Amino acid sequence: MTSLLVTGGAGFIGANFVRQTVEQHPEYTHITVLDKLTYAGNADNLKGLPDSKVTLIEGDICDAELVDALVKDHDITVHFAAESHNDNSLNDPFPFVHTNLIGTFVLLEAVRKHNKRFHHISTDEVFGDLELDDPNRFTETTAYKPSSPYSATKAGSDHLVHAWIRSFGIQATMSNCSNNYGPYQHIEKFIPRQITNILAGLTPKLYGTGEQVRDWIHVDDHNDAVHLILSKGKIGETYIIGADNDHVNNKQVIELICELMDLDANAYEHVADRPGHDMRYAMDSTKLRTELGWAPKYTDVDSGMRKGLEQTIDWYRDNEAWWRGTKDNVEATYAKQGQ
Ligand code: NAD
Ligand code: TDX
């Protein structure tokens, strides 16, 4: 009888985590999702899940009274909630500081008070970027050097977790994962933006030259790793999660999407680059693989992404009602930035 509190469980990765938990992890008897339902959160992401198993509470992780009561009543808190989009953080950093820093602080205080198990979800972006010709990868001991307001607030939240582990001995683990893709990802993000552009008859948009490298991972592989950390991870430890796709650049990804959607490989346009654009992320997940036995399931011989992208394209094609209503607004915002 183990209960989970999942913050941000109506967002992209959180909703996939809740779905995977219901389908594959009967050891978790009940899941409460705490989600503010910002523009990025969507109650429909949890549609079809049994009410007996999943409860959605609309609320803010910065609400200390609410968070205290929920943390107290659950065995484990898994913390996905965040403002997550770099481009938005360049336009308006305040919500990033508020949710990512204050929200994480509020959760940590509740976890400390009630002596509960906590897992913090974070990103490779806290380490900054590598040069394109740098063969190194980020590890659990890489120094923090975030570039954007988003990554700076995620780095700050990681530091809070580290400090609460060291100073107060809370029962916490952390993971830093690379770029995710898959169903239910907001169409402001690179891969779903291009898929829905093509489905809507618009031209896919590549920032700058497209040489930037992201170490893409399918969201289910990320969430498998989170489950392993919950069941076998060592308290106090951090785990790097990455699927070894650090040889694929944005240009190759957009070309593969065009090809898989029956367009010429070059049927996209170059648009304004992102200010301060990180060049290369690469993750060394040796610790997770050797100590906990994790391996990604979405792998294939060429880019490592073909199978996952095919599945993701099918999902957006089959779920047009899910994204169609937001497409015009998302594109209007990008158009103002020349993107
Ligand atoms: P997302 O933007 O799709 O979802 C975030 C969710 O958090 C939304 O449902 C939103 O409503 C909710 N939320 C935002 N502010 C809140 C608040 N104050 N209180 C309660 N809920 C709030 O993000 P995502 O891509 O699913 O990312 C989830 C987590 O994973 C984040 O912590 C992010 O930093 C991390 N991460 C993401 C990626 C990626 O590629 N998307 C990679 C590594 C790590
Ligand atoms: O239209 C686009 N064209 C384009 O070339 C968009 C939206 C993006 N890009 C580029 C920018 C990046 O190099 O694609 C790459 C991926 O962009 P995003 O999807 O915005 O992701 P990124 O900024 O790399 O951050 C993501 O991964 C790490 C998540 O949004 C973060 O939450 C996570 O921490």
Side-chain angles (χ1 to χ4, degrees), residues 84 86 123 125 150 179 190 193 207 214 250 274 277:
S84 70
N86 274 301
T123 170
E125 300 197 17
Y150 162 67
N179 281 61
F190 178 51
R193 184 180 181 208
Y207 290 178
R214 299 292 182 265
N250 292 344
R274 173 183 285 170
H277 201 168

Side-chain angles (χ1 to χ4, degrees), residues 6-20:
V6 179
T7 73
F12 162 48
I13 306 176
N16 278 287
F17 176 81
V18 173
R19 289 186 170 278
Q20 190 186 79

Side-chain angles (χ1 to χ4, degrees), residues 86-99:
N86 274 301
D87 292 320
N88 294 344
S89 82
L90 298 170
N91 292 331
D92 181 13
F94 180 74
F96 290 75
V97 173
H98 186 69
T99 287

Side-chain angles (χ1 to χ4, degrees), residues 7-15 34-42 45 59-62 79-85 98-100 103 120-124 150 154 175-181 184-186 188-189 216 222:
T7 73
F12 162 48
I13 306 176
L34 171 61
D35 199 296
K36 194 176 172 182
L37 299 181
T38 68
Y39 81 96
N42 185 344
N45 293 357
D60 192 330
I61 56 167
C62 301
H79 176 34
F80 290 93
E83 285 293 336
S84 70
H85 193 40
H98 186 69
T99 287
N100 300 356
H120 178 64
I121 303 289
S122 194
T123 170
D124 52 4
Y150 162 67
K154 288 300 288 187
S175 51
N176 295 81
C177 187
S178 53
N179 281 61
N180 285 221
Y181 70 98
Y184 300 100
Q185 185 166 30
H186 196 281
E188 68 191 353
K189 303 294 197 310
W216 292 102
H222 179 182

